[in-house]
Amino acid sequence: MPRLADHEQRRKQITDATRRVIARDGLTAATFQSVAAEAGISVRLVQYYFGTKREFLIATHQAVLADAGARLATGLTALGPDASPRAVLRTTFAELLPLDDTRRDEVLILGAFQAARLGRAEVENSIGNGPARYMVDAAAQQLARLRRGTAARMETITLDAELLVAAVGGLAQGMLSGFATPEHAELLLDRLLDRLLPP
């Protein structure tokens, strides 16, 4: 009987193939046939591991978020426990920008899922606002660290955190159409942090 690790490896092979299809051709192009061809396996095998198209799409969405989260955790660990709130925020939000091919594909894929959610496609009920709320909470925590002892109320801090998440999300999408180069995007991120963070 195949080991659990073999099952996980096969599922990853399929979700990795799905990611490539979506990044290259869009969400609607991800079918049993296209994913199987991309992975170099049979359609039956994809169906064995994921009974429906919805299942492999949701698994792919979760895999993208998990990979981005693992990268972010590595970056934050590298900063060390005494990192300043600004360094934590800079590292966190730079991770959301398509500054390299991996992050570009992730922004494309997550954007495709968001568009499907807005269009009430088959994945709409499983793609929620959890990741965005997590980013808002993480940003608010760092802003609160900086503003201790000031008159800033948590309500204002949360609004600034929401502004930061919205602005970086918009910048990430804009970069896909050439609104900003990676270098200019990082400059804009730094300028935004300068405006939000107290001296």
Side-chain angles (χ1 to χ4, degrees):
M1 186 169 179
R3 297 187 307 271
L4 180 61
D6 295 333
H7 284 296
E8 290 307 311
Q9 185 177 10
R10 184 66 79 181
R11 287 173 66 87
K12 184 177 186 310
Q13 179 185 8
I14 294 167
T15 57
D16 283 351
T18 306
R19 288 164 80 151
R20 292 192 298 273
V21 170
I22 296 171
R24 185 179 62 237
D25 302 318
L27 192 66
T28 57
T31 63
F32 278 112
Q33 292 77 14
S34 66
V35 168
E38 184 71 27
I41 59 178
S42 70
V43 170
R44 265 183 86 126
L45 201 53
V46 179
Q47 290 171 328
Y48 173 78
Y49 283 96
F50 300 98
T52 65
K53 176 181 176 179
R54 183 176 184 277
E55 285 180 39
F56 71 70
L57 288 178
I58 297 305
T60 300
H61 183 266
Q62 292 170 342
V64 170
L65 292 177
D67 286 353
R71 255 193 343 267
L72 176 57
T74 299
L76 293 176
T77 299
L79 289 178
D82 299 323
S84 69
R86 185 194 174 93
V88 171
L89 288 169
R90 177 67 163 72
T91 298
T92 298
F93 285 96
E95 196 56 55
L96 301 182
L97 296 174
L99 299 175
D100 54 36
D101 289 342
T102 297
R103 285 178 281 184
R104 182 181 183 279
D105 284 353
E106 288 175 352
V107 171
L108 280 168
I109 292 164
L110 295 176
F113 276 100
Q114 180 64 18
R117 181 178 177 226
L118 294 174
R120 302 190 63 76
E122 59 203 297
V123 296
E124 101 254 4
N125 291 327
S126 300
I127 310 302
N129 291 316
R133 287 310 325 167
Y134 173 83
M135 296 304 294
V136 168
D137 291 344
Q141 183 179 27
Q142 296 305 316
L143 292 173
R145 280 180 61 202
L146 273 172
R147 297 178 186 179
R148 253 183 222 144
T150 71
R153 296 173 55 195
M154 204 58 209
E155 181 181 339
T156 302
I157 288 172
T158 300
L159 286 173
D160 284 345
E162 290 172 344
L163 177 62
L164 185 54
V165 170
V168 174
L171 177 57
Q173 288 297 318
M175 287 176 68
L176 297 178
S177 59
F179 173 76
T181 63
E183 296 76 18
H184 191 64
E186 291 191 275
L187 179 66
L188 291 173
L189 174 58
D190 285 329
R191 185 163 175 80
L192 179 59
L193 291 174
D194 287 342
R195 288 173 171 265
L196 286 177
L197 304 183

